[in-house]
Amino acid sequence: MSNKPDWVKALKPAGLPGTEILAAERKSSPIDVDGLAAFLFTQPILDRNHRILEILQAEPVFDKSSNYFRGRTERIKAALARGKRLQQLTELHGWSAEEYQVAYDLIGEPTPYGLHAGMFMVTLREQGTPAQHRLFLEKAQKYEMIGCYAQTELGHGSNVRGLETIATWNPHRKTFTLHSPSLTSSKWWIGSLGRTANHAVVIAQLIIDEVSYGPHPFVVQIRDLQTHQPLDNIYVGDIGPKFGFNTMDNGFLLLNNVEIPHENMLSRFSRVDALTNKYIRPSNPSLVYGTLTWVRSNIVLRSGAVLARGVTTAVRYCAVRKQFRRLDAASNSTSGTAETAVLNYSMVQYRLLPLLAATFALHFTGQNMIQLYQANQAAMNGPDRSKSNADILLAELHASSCALKAYTSTVAGEGLETCRRACGGHGYSSFAGVGSLYADYLPTLTWEGDNFMLTQQVSRYLLKIARQVVSEVDVNSSTHAAPGNQFSIHTATILANYRTKQSDTKVVPFDILGDDTSCLVDAFAWRVAYQTFEILRRHDDEGASWDSLLVSFWRLSTAYSQYLVVRNFHQVLSHPTAQISPPPRSDTMAVLHSLFRLNALYCLSNESSEFLTSGACTAKVLDTLREERLLPLLSEVRPHAVKLVDAWKISDWQLDSSLGRADGRVYEDLFYRASENNPLNDIIFDPSPNSTTLFKTRSSRGPSSKL
Amino acid sequence: MSNKPDWVKALKPAGLPGTEILAAERKSSPIDVDGLAAFLFTQPILDRNHRILEILQAEPVFDKSSNYFRGRTERIKAALARGKRLQQLTELHGWSAEEYQVAYDLIGEPTPYGLHAGMFMVTLREQGTPAQHRLFLEKAQKYEMIGCYAQTELGHGSNVRGLETIATWNPHRKTFTLHSPSLTSSKWWIGSLGRTANHAVVIAQLIIDEVSYGPHPFVVQIRDLQTHQPLDNIYVGDIGPKFGFNTMDNGFLLLNNVEIPHENMLSRFSRVDALTNKYIRPSNPSLVYGTLTWVRSNIVLRSGAVLARGVTTAVRYCAVRKQFRRLDAASNSTSGTAETAVLNYSMVQYRLLPLLAATFALHFTGQNMIQLYQANQAAMNGPDRSKSNADILLAELHASSCALKAYTSTVAGEGLETCRRACGGHGYSSFAGVGSLYADYLPTLTWEGDNFMLTQQVSRYLLKIARQVVSEVDVNSSTHAAPGNQFSIHTATILANYRTKQSDTKVVPFDILGDDTSCLVDAFAWRVAYQTFEILRRHDDEGASWDSLLVSFWRLSTAYSQYLVVRNFHQVLSHPTAQISPPPRSDTMAVLHSLFRLNALYCLSNESSEFLTSGACTAKVLDTLREERLLPLLSEVRPHAVKLVDAWKISDWQLDSSLGRADGRVYEDLFYRASENNPLNDIIFDPSPNSTTLFKTRSSRGPSSKL
């Protein structure tokens, strides 16, 4: 809006400025923000992230000020330009894959190249032979070949074995014919396919001599390298707008008997022998297993950081926003005449501060997953370990990554929406920045294993271990790993412990409110073991069908995840010196201990019936938990809330939120965005229902238009 | 996309067509769809809705096929055109306010005239004097004056007393000066204000002789009636894009000492005497109370219908969608080779079917609220009832409307998201239609009383009644209403019952699994009473502060709402002949009884710890509830799911969903929408990161563009 009158320019927000409010919040807490941030991330990583942020902020193409106003076509156009510049900067600065990812996250929205870097190149590298690396990967690295990963179909997602696309081996011509036999066999949801890619790794059922050998990966060129038009017998396009993720061209693909050379089947693991026309089985299928575990572990790690963006916005805004005077004790009289910060209300604390605690719990859990994965990979390649040991360790890692992927992405996704609502009416504005983050994050709950589907795999593993415990097979002795060792199968340990202690009435209930916080971890472990053996009894002894147990599996997987999260947070606080960076000051560590209790007890309170049923806690303790423990914990954490979110070191540029501004100037920013940039304000409506025009006058952006 | 090749046109979905699947679903259930629909809505209402649907479908301006592709400016342009046509049709067909609302709901998105009809005219009518009706309302009815309702400010929402805008009485000129003293006093979120309205009812603090008399309504002209440009000293515009509701021009408004005549203060209830310059107090403040109750009762009624749209889509799609073969009992072998419908999995049933049951429970609850409100309004105007009786009845209605507004809109909002996720990956596509519905519905959780704020009002009322019960004041005898009578204060009845029975060990636990379903209602009532007296003790006896009880208030209000919902559903099924339409056939009624149990027991199972703590149920019953009762109930309801959603009679046109199509052609529709209309597919990307152009060729919709 042009011509803002002087009297408007002169207006200031009423009351104490947000800047002063947040300054006072920061002054009143002793939290060592920089020390805590280094403890979370390490100082070199923080420095690196800051360096990348400065590079991006200096580039006009990454300017975010129009993001919230754009329609889909404009948004994807901007995203394409940004993707190009990101790749140029990656070249220029020689960024590693990790640094590229940091930049990608800071830009804050997917680019149409996302799946080229994230999946196409990874698949070529991991599933291609050295010869195929030369043929495809080298060109992909130079963006001479731009690709995507085409697995999901219109009719099939999670059930990969049900995919309909076929790749038939032609024994005489030594080629494969790829074909989409039905409408439902159309590839669908494939990121970077709709408009960007000129190649695809297509997952298709391999058919040799009329026998199907299951899904395999094939490299297929889909668009001309010069004109970028689809090749003959290829029908490809964008699948249309989505709830979020609209800067990505998720696409569809139909293939009409497209013939490709023998060398286009990625054949590091299994292949077709061109001489004998025979299928050669994969040498080690568990390696593929490993990649999935890696992808899921990264989702776990990212969940804390994503949730932290919503919590940062909500905590800062709820500290600045004042509403109502607070009612005093029994009298119901109000204390003074000043309104109080929304964050001072116990109801708001109860919604937000457990999520603040969860950001740390999820972050440490994600770090632990990544470390375990890396250590295990190293050990698998080492000389000492037999294949069977490696397999069971990988199975444990796989199960916990499935459980935690499902649980932590649900907590983060639903937590973002809780943060948005805690911002009241303004949370609904695009300028809050939380709604778009939520919408873009939601696919994480479905992809890489639907969050409900995964819980079956987790339960299958827990039942398997439980059966070994019942048969008195000592899994840990066979892996030569002592309990507590990072390579121990601690699922076996907690199940075996439960079996041993089950009849000992002195063991349960646990003293969850006592000084020894390991009792809290034990209570979570006990509940997992109780549920595992209950389900084992119903399934193995009583013959309950698999389908009838699906809800119980979901509950079990959730219980297992909550145990892992509580355990990981506990481990970090018990051995803070084991982290890469030194622990922050003791006053800061004390607040982390409060966050640990808050996270564990809030979770326990919400799931209290399961802790009661399992005997881990008594009804008496659970009944008073909320009033006598949780509310005091919320009061303990409250003064540090703003500095705790500061320690996440999320820049204003990344947040892109009026409400989450680090300087507290929320009202000025909302007003500025609404009145300065908003293209709708350039259009003059003709409001009469009976007029034949929609707009009064022609303006720069909103042309006059007939009905 | 032009030129679809013949081989693409020839493709069909694999397997049984969706049309046949849904036909088989419908054939296998005896549900009397038309009878049930009439029982829900009455046949004349269904006929009327169908007539209006046909009128709208015949108008090209309401064509929905481009909705999901448009950016905000295009969308609001279309919505303006639709709003105009809707008003023309309303004139043409002489539609009542109710019929206008039906058409508005069928169009499926707000129009910029929404607040003119919904709030501006209502406020003029209810708060204006007859003289003001002639001055303002008559012009508003003819759309010569187009208005909005400007209450919320940038800095204040729920706390109306904290509003900053002031209206100062000028005793000599007999005028008011309206003024925005700060940036935070800017009106904000005001629907229809941003670009459409030329008048506003502005809520401002009335100041007479430097004394404030609190917020009052003033009619202010804000735009020129010819040019539609803002008047002098008015700064007004649209507040920018939002998470949803983007076809509405929510606006901001700043006033710089704008003077308006004496007659522009709406003064049916309170006013300024122009002769004496004195404030005249309102004669009956509880009438305003009544309007809020009416608005909230309508949100309750609408919650069932909104949720039903999501459930209809999810149930139909999950019946059509097949994924995986089902695992059999203990053997874990699969049954046959055919994949099974997703709706056959107990995990999916557990997520969707309780929501299906909830749609009916919410609908009957909403109907009951509306009936009670109307009966009470009639009684209040009747000769027999004293003012004090009317006041306490209105207070009961007010409390239950607050509780149910908060609860039912939360259930509907969160239920929609559950439905969207239950649709798997395709639920994320805009073409699913659930995401946009969810996004547009979400403000309902915040407006007309934030869902958390409201629970304080509910609890305050319950505590007040509890104190009367403790003091042995018989509220119901003072209202001359016998318990069970529709005018009885049944909150008093359940609290008094609890006090009487509390010491009687034979009363609790309730036989919630027995044949007499009234025991279920009693269990819900018992839990409410237990929690009320617990909170009363902590607040009145132990001196707990109001703030420390906010979480308990929220729990109490939720418990009270769940009781009301269970009770209302039970009442309809116990006395089906009391409904306007005759009950459906007995086989259909039997399924409704299963839905009643499913709704009540699912809720009870989720809140089991509260039922246990209150003594309403035993741990033993609760432990086995899910496996032994809920899962069998899900199996009972499953065969009828498709016909039960059919009974909601939601047209394909209103749903606008590929997944929710009544004919089951989900894959054809997804493919059609992606490949035919999608403007992104007219743009040819230039995918090289180092090229200087974004697009390869100029096309009709996507121009070639430099970086």
Side-chain angles (χ1 to χ4, degrees):
Chain A
M1 283 170 97
S2 44
N3 60 0
K4 193 175 279 182
D6 287 341
W7 63 268
V8 171
K9 289 182 198 158
L11 292 171
K12 301 254 175 299
L16 207 59
T19 310
E20 287 180 34
I21 294 172
L22 288 193
E25 287 274 348
R26 289 176 177 125
K27 205 172 165 190
S28 70
S29 160
I31 289 270
D32 169 17
V33 168
D34 290 336
L36 179 52
F39 186 62
L40 291 173
F41 303 105
T42 79
Q43 195 56 47
I45 295 286
L46 289 167
D47 294 343
R48 179 201 67 187
N49 294 355
H50 186 71
R51 207 173 56 239
I52 295 172
L53 174 67
E54 292 202 319
I55 292 170
L56 296 176
Q57 278 183 303
E59 298 280 332
V61 73
F62 298 122
D63 171 61
K64 300 189 182 191
S65 62
S66 298
N67 279 5
Y68 295 133
F69 299 106
R70 289 180 172 139
R72 187 174 181 224
T73 306
E74 285 176 292
R75 287 193 68 193
I76 206 161
K77 177 180 154 181
L80 177 63
R82 288 169 184 175
K84 290 186 177 208
R85 188 65 189 141
L86 173 60
Q87 178 52 24
Q88 291 164 8
L89 291 172
T90 303
E91 288 282 330
L92 186 67
H93 298 285
W95 284 342
S96 67
E98 210 181 317
E99 287 167 320
Y100 168 91
Q101 191 57 46
V102 169
Y104 198 97
D105 285 346
L106 287 170
I107 293 168
E109 61 182 26
T111 87
Y113 296 102
L115 276 284
H116 173 74
M119 279 298 283
F120 184 65
M121 287 203 283
V122 171
T123 308
L124 292 177
R125 185 179 304 117
E126 301 209 344
Q127 305 202 29
T129 61
Q132 288 173 322
H133 288 173
R134 284 188 296 276
L135 199 58
F136 306 121
L137 183 59
E138 288 177 9
K139 285 182 189 152
Q141 284 165 334
K142 286 182 272 183
Y143 282 65
E144 290 167 11
M145 185 181 273
I146 295 170
C148 59
Y149 180 82
Q151 179 173 305
T152 301
E153 296 177 355
L154 184 53
H156 282 91
S158 296
N159 185 10
V160 180
R161 302 208 166 273
L163 294 176
E164 294 180 58
T165 305
I166 49 174
T168 309
W169 173 244
N170 305 306
H172 302 299
R173 294 197 304 280
K174 308 298 177 192
T175 59
F176 299 97
T177 298
L178 275 94
H179 187 61
S180 311
S182 70
L183 189 67
T184 39
S185 75
S186 176
K187 295 294 174 186
W188 206 267
W189 282 112
I190 313 306
S192 303
L193 168 65
R195 310 310 296 153
T196 311
N198 48 38
H199 282 73
V201 170
V202 174
I203 307 300
Q205 305 285 356
L206 171 64
I207 313 277
I208 307 173
D209 199 13
E210 295 181 9
V211 175
S212 173
Y213 291 87
H216 286 77
F218 301 85
V219 177
V220 183
Q221 183 177 347
I222 54 172
R223 287 189 172 96
D224 184 88
L225 295 183
Q226 295 308 315
T227 66
H228 203 58
Q229 293 286 358
L231 300 183
D232 285 349
N233 292 309
I234 302 266
Y235 192 69
V236 59
D238 173 271
I239 63 162
K242 297 144 292 186
F243 191 58
F245 233 72
N246 280 309
T247 52
M248 175 63 81
D249 56 324
N250 295 85
F252 61 79
L253 172 67
L254 283 163
L255 302 151
N256 186 36
N257 290 309
V258 172
E259 200 165 341
I260 59 170
H262 175 252
E263 63 206 17
N264 281 29
M265 173 173 166
L266 294 178
S267 47
R268 178 171 167 207
F269 299 117
S270 53
R271 59 194 175 87
V272 177
D273 187 309
L275 292 174
T276 61
N277 299 315
K278 295 274 185 251
Y279 179 70
I280 313 294
R281 299 203 168 273
S283 54
N284 186 358
S286 66
L287 281 171
V288 180
Y289 221 40
T291 309
L292 281 173
T293 301
W294 172 247
V295 170
R296 287 178 187 141
S297 300
N298 273 291
I299 291 177
V300 177
L301 180 61
R302 198 165 168 256
S303 66
V306 166
L307 180 57
R309 287 170 62 178
V311 173
T312 298
T313 295
V315 162
R316 286 180 182 157
Y317 175 56
C318 288
V320 170
R321 179 188 183 203
K322 293 176 188 292
Q323 200 86 289
F324 289 107
R325 286 164 291 165
R326 239 167 99 153
L327 288 168
D328 268 349
S331 69
N332 281 359
S333 69
T334 54
S335 54
T337 54
E339 292 188 302
T340 191
V342 168
L343 194 55
N344 292 334
Y345 291 108
S346 63
M347 188 72 237
V348 173
Q349 292 171 10
Y350 188 78
R351 293 152 76 191
L352 281 184
L353 301 185
L355 289 175
L356 173 60
T359 61
F360 293 95
L362 298 182
H363 178 74
F364 292 125
T365 301
Q367 282 188 333
N368 180 266
M369 281 298 312
I370 300 282
Q371 285 157 12
L372 269 185
Y373 174 82
Q374 288 169 335
N376 185 54
Q377 288 293 105
M380 275 202 337
N381 299 326
D384 293 349
R385 308 182 68 78
S386 75
K387 189 181 162 305
S388 73
N389 295 346
D391 279 357
I392 193 161
L393 270 169
L394 195 53
E396 167 99 354
L397 269 177
H398 174 74
S400 47
S401 75
C402 287
L404 286 168
K405 183 271 170 180
Y407 177 70
T408 63
S409 63
T410 303
V411 169
E414 294 180 352
L416 287 177
E417 175 59 11
T418 301
C419 291
R420 197 193 61 71
R421 286 189 211 167
C423 293
H426 293 331
Y428 194 65
S429 168
S430 297
F431 307 146
V434 187
S436 52
L437 176 61
Y438 171 73
D440 282 352
Y441 185 70
L442 274 180
T444 312
L445 281 63
T446 307
W447 67 31
E448 305 303 345
D450 173 87
N451 282 0
F452 285 97
M453 294 295 308
L454 284 176
T455 64
Q456 292 187 57
Q457 301 191 35
V458 178
S459 301
R460 189 174 285 122
Y461 173 76
L462 289 171
L463 292 179
K464 185 179 145 193
I465 298 293
R467 285 189 200 103
Q468 292 180 335
V469 168
V470 171
S471 321
E472 302 193 340
V473 174
D474 185 346
V475 181
N476 278 318
S477 88
S478 80
T479 60
H480 309 289
N485 176 314
Q486 81 172 330
F487 295 113
S488 75
I489 307 298
H490 72 251
T491 306
T493 310
I494 64 171
L495 295 182
N497 275 350
Y498 173 85
R499 287 272 294 183
T500 313
K501 295 180 182 168
Q502 207 178 355
S503 51
D504 182 353
T505 52
K506 278 177 285 183
V507 179
V508 284
F510 297 94
D511 180 21
I512 58 167
L513 305 182
D515 289 336
D516 180 4
T517 47
S518 68
C519 289
L520 259 171
V521 183
D522 293 341
F524 276 83
W526 188 266
R527 164 185 172 229
V528 171
Y530 170 84
Q531 292 185 0
T532 305
F533 287 109
E534 272 299 294
I535 295 175
L536 187 70
R537 182 180 57 73
R538 276 156 49 208
H539 184 266
D540 287 9
D541 302 347
E542 298 176 3
S545 73
W546 189 259
D547 182 69
S548 73
L549 293 167
L550 294 179
V551 179
S552 300
F553 292 157
W554 163 62
R555 293 304 317 155
L556 174 59
S557 179
T558 303
Y560 182 55
S561 305
Q562 290 171 339
Y563 158 68
L564 292 173
V565 170
V566 168
R567 178 177 171 276
N568 279 307
F569 199 174
H570 188 261
Q571 216 160 35
V572 169
L573 295 186
S574 308
H575 307 286
T577 50
Q579 295 291 102
I580 298 173
S581 288
R585 286 196 315 253
S586 62
D587 48 8
T588 305
M589 282 303 288
V591 176
L592 283 183
H593 279 279
S594 299
L595 289 173
F596 165 76
R597 280 184 200 267
L598 177 57
N599 177 64
L601 291 174
Y602 177 80
C603 178
L604 199 151
S605 162
N606 282 336
E607 313 280 11
S608 58
S609 63
E610 291 187 3
F611 284 88
L612 185 65
T613 305
S614 68
C617 304
T618 63
K620 192 165 164 257
V621 166
L622 293 170
D623 280 353
T624 60
L625 192 57
R626 195 171 65 215
E627 278 76 31
E628 295 182 12
R629 281 296 164 139
L630 281 176
L631 292 179
L633 270 170
L634 294 174
S635 303
E636 247 174 81
V637 170
R638 161 67 187 92
H640 313 290
V642 168
K643 284 181 98 173
L644 286 169
V645 301
D646 285 350
W648 273 92
K649 296 277 179 186
I650 301 166
S651 66
D652 277 352
W653 195 75
Q654 186 176 14
L655 275 187
D656 197 17
S657 165
S658 296
L659 307 184
R661 285 176 69 106
D663 67 3
R665 293 169 57 85
V666 300
Y667 298 116
E668 296 91 326
D669 201 61
L670 278 172
F671 189 76
Y672 176 84
R673 292 187 190 235
S675 59
E676 292 291 329
N677 280 333
N678 186 353
L680 201 61
N681 286 327
D682 295 329
I683 299 173
I684 313 296
F685 280 16
D686 179 345
S688 164
N690 293 312
S691 66
T692 53
T693 56
L694 285 176
F695 304 132
K696 279 285 187 186
T697 52
R698 177 175 288 273
S699 78
S700 57
R701 295 190 231 187
S704 175
S705 168
K706 290 272 177 188
L707 260 172
Chain B
M1 283 169 97
S2 44
N3 60 0
K4 193 175 280 183
D6 287 341
W7 62 269
V8 171
K9 289 182 196 156
L11 292 171
K12 303 253 175 298
L16 207 58
T19 310
E20 286 179 35
I21 294 172
L22 288 193
E25 287 275 350
R26 289 177 177 123
K27 206 172 164 191
S28 69
S29 160
I31 289 271
D32 169 17
V33 169
D34 291 336
L36 179 53
F39 186 63
L40 291 174
F41 303 104
T42 79
Q43 196 56 47
I45 295 287
L46 289 168
D47 294 342
R48 180 201 67 186
N49 295 355
H50 187 70
R51 207 171 57 237
I52 294 172
L53 174 66
E54 292 202 318
I55 291 169
L56 297 176
Q57 279 184 303
E59 299 278 333
V61 72
F62 298 122
D63 171 60
K64 300 188 182 191
S65 61
S66 297
N67 279 5
Y68 295 132
F69 298 106
R70 289 180 172 139
R72 186 174 183 223
T73 305
E74 285 175 292
R75 288 192 67 194
I76 206 163
K77 178 179 153 181
L80 177 63
R82 288 168 185 175
K84 289 186 179 209
R85 188 63 190 145
L86 173 60
Q87 179 52 24
Q88 291 164 8
L89 291 172
T90 302
E91 289 281 329
L92 186 68
H93 298 285
W95 282 342
S96 68
E98 210 181 317
E99 287 167 321
Y100 169 90
Q101 191 57 46
V102 169
Y104 199 96
D105 284 346
L106 286 170
I107 293 169
E109 60 181 28
T111 86
Y113 296 102
L115 276 285
H116 173 73
M119 279 298 284
F120 184 64
M121 287 204 283
V122 172
T123 307
L124 293 178
R125 187 180 301 117
E126 301 207 343
Q127 305 201 30
T129 61
Q132 288 173 324
H133 288 174
R134 285 188 297 278
L135 199 58
F136 305 121
L137 183 59
E138 288 177 9
K139 285 181 189 153
Q141 283 165 334
K142 287 183 271 183
Y143 281 67
E144 290 168 10
M145 185 181 271
I146 294 169
C148 60
Y149 181 82
Q151 177 172 307
T152 301
E153 297 176 355
L154 184 53
H156 281 91
S158 295
N159 184 10
V160 180
R161 299 206 170 275
L163 294 176
E164 294 181 58
T165 305
I166 49 174
T168 309
W169 173 246
N170 304 308
H172 304 297
R173 294 199 303 281
K174 307 298 176 193
T175 58
F176 299 96
T177 297
L178 275 93
H179 186 62
S180 310
S182 70
L183 190 67
T184 39
S185 76
S186 177
K187 295 296 174 185
W188 206 266
W189 283 112
I190 313 305
S192 304
L193 167 66
R195 310 310 295 155
T196 311
N198 48 37
H199 283 72
V201 169
V202 174
I203 307 300
Q205 305 286 354
L206 171 65
I207 313 278
I208 307 173
D209 200 13
E210 294 180 9
V211 175
S212 173
Y213 292 87
H216 286 78
F218 301 86
V219 178
V220 183
Q221 182 175 347
I222 53 172
R223 286 189 173 96
D224 184 90
L225 296 184
Q226 295 308 314
T227 66
H228 203 59
Q229 293 286 357
L231 300 183
D232 285 350
N233 292 308
I234 301 266
Y235 192 69
V236 60
D238 174 90
I239 63 162
K242 297 145 292 186
F243 191 58
F245 233 73
N246 281 310
T247 51
M248 176 62 81
D249 55 324
N250 296 85
F252 61 80
L253 172 68
L254 283 162
L255 302 150
N256 186 36
N257 290 310
V258 173
E259 200 166 342
I260 58 170
H262 175 252
E263 63 206 17
N264 282 30
M265 173 173 165
L266 293 178
S267 47
R268 178 171 166 206
F269 298 118
S270 53
R271 59 194 173 85
V272 175
D273 187 307
L275 292 174
T276 62
N277 300 315
K278 294 274 185 255
Y279 178 69
I280 313 294
R281 301 204 165 273
S283 55
N284 186 356
S286 66
L287 281 169
V288 179
Y289 222 39
T291 309
L292 281 173
T293 302
W294 172 246
V295 170
R296 288 179 186 141
S297 299
N298 273 292
I299 290 177
V300 177
L301 179 61
R302 199 165 166 255
S303 66
V306 166
L307 180 57
R309 288 170 61 179
V311 172
T312 298
T313 295
V315 162
R316 286 180 181 157
Y317 175 57
C318 288
V320 170
R321 180 187 182 203
K322 294 177 188 291
Q323 200 86 289
F324 289 105
R325 288 164 291 164
R326 237 165 98 154
L327 287 170
D328 270 348
S331 69
N332 282 359
S333 70
T334 55
S335 54
T337 53
E339 292 189 301
T340 192
V342 168
L343 193 55
N344 292 334
Y345 291 108
S346 63
M347 190 71 238
V348 174
Q349 293 171 10
Y350 189 78
R351 291 152 77 191
L352 281 184
L353 300 186
L355 289 176
L356 173 59
T359 61
F360 293 96
L362 297 183
H363 179 73
F364 291 126
T365 301
Q367 282 190 331
N368 180 266
M369 280 300 311
I370 300 281
Q371 284 157 13
L372 269 185
Y373 175 82
Q374 288 170 333
N376 187 54
Q377 287 293 103
M380 273 202 338
N381 299 325
D384 292 349
R385 307 182 68 78
S386 75
K387 187 180 161 308
S388 74
N389 295 345
D391 279 357
I392 193 160
L393 270 170
L394 195 54
E396 168 99 353
L397 269 178
H398 173 75
S400 47
S401 75
C402 287
L404 286 168
K405 184 272 169 182
Y407 177 70
T408 64
S409 63
T410 302
V411 169
E414 294 178 354
L416 286 177
E417 175 59 11
T418 301
C419 291
R420 196 193 62 70
R421 286 188 211 169
C423 293
H426 293 331
Y428 194 64
S429 167
S430 297
F431 306 146
V434 187
S436 52
L437 177 61
Y438 172 72
D440 281 353
Y441 185 71
L442 273 180
T444 312
L445 281 64
T446 306
W447 67 30
E448 306 302 345
D450 173 86
N451 282 0
F452 284 97
M453 294 296 307
L454 284 176
T455 64
Q456 291 187 56
Q457 301 191 36
V458 177
S459 301
R460 189 174 284 121
Y461 173 76
L462 289 171
L463 292 180
K464 184 178 145 193
I465 299 292
R467 284 188 199 104
Q468 291 180 336
V469 167
V470 171
S471 321
E472 302 193 339
V473 175
D474 184 345
V475 181
N476 277 317
S477 87
S478 80
T479 61
H480 309 288
N485 176 312
Q486 83 171 328
F487 295 114
S488 76
I489 306 299
H490 73 250
T491 306
T493 309
I494 64 170
L495 295 182
N497 276 350
Y498 173 85
R499 287 274 292 181
T500 312
K501 294 178 181 169
Q502 207 178 354
S503 51
D504 182 353
T505 51
K506 279 176 288 184
V507 179
V508 285
F510 297 94
D511 180 20
I512 58 168
L513 304 181
D515 290 337
D516 180 5
T517 46
S518 68
C519 289
L520 259 172
V521 183
D522 293 342
F524 277 83
W526 187 268
R527 165 185 171 229
V528 171
Y530 171 84
Q531 292 185 1
T532 305
F533 286 110
E534 272 300 293
I535 295 176
L536 188 71
R537 182 180 58 72
R538 275 156 51 210
H539 185 265
D540 288 9
D541 303 347
E542 297 175 4
S545 73
W546 189 259
D547 182 68
S548 73
L549 293 168
L550 295 180
V551 178
S552 300
F553 292 156
W554 163 63
R555 292 305 316 154
L556 174 59
S557 180
T558 303
Y560 181 55
S561 306
Q562 290 171 338
Y563 157 69
L564 292 173
V565 169
V566 168
R567 178 177 171 274
N568 278 307
F569 200 174
H570 188 261
Q571 216 160 34
V572 167
L573 296 186
S574 308
H575 308 285
T577 51
Q579 295 292 101
I580 298 173
S581 289
R585 285 195 315 253
S586 62
D587 48 8
T588 305
M589 282 303 288
V591 177
L592 283 183
H593 279 279
S594 299
L595 289 172
F596 166 76
R597 279 183 201 267
L598 177 56
N599 177 65
L601 290 174
Y602 177 80
C603 177
L604 200 151
S605 162
N606 282 337
E607 313 281 10
S608 59
S609 63
E610 292 188 2
F611 284 88
L612 186 65
T613 305
S614 67
C617 305
T618 63
K620 193 166 165 254
V621 167
L622 293 171
D623 280 353
T624 60
L625 192 56
R626 196 171 64 215
E627 279 76 31
E628 295 183 11
R629 282 295 163 138
L630 281 176
L631 291 179
L633 270 171
L634 295 174
S635 303
E636 247 174 78
V637 170
R638 160 67 186 92
H640 313 290
V642 169
K643 284 182 97 173
L644 285 169
V645 300
D646 285 350
W648 273 92
K649 297 277 179 187
I650 301 166
S651 66
D652 277 352
W653 195 75
Q654 186 177 14
L655 275 187
D656 197 16
S657 165
S658 295
L659 307 184
R661 284 176 68 107
D663 67 4
R665 292 169 58 85
V666 301
Y667 298 116
E668 295 92 324
D669 201 61
L670 278 172
F671 189 75
Y672 176 84
R673 291 186 191 236
S675 58
E676 291 291 328
N677 279 333
N678 187 353
L680 202 61
N681 286 326
D682 295 330
I683 300 172
I684 313 295
F685 280 17
D686 179 344
S688 163
N690 293 313
S691 66
T692 52
T693 56
L694 287 176
F695 305 131
K696 279 285 187 188
T697 52
R698 177 175 288 272
S699 77
S700 58
R701 294 190 231 188
S704 174
S705 169
K706 290 272 176 187
L707 260 171

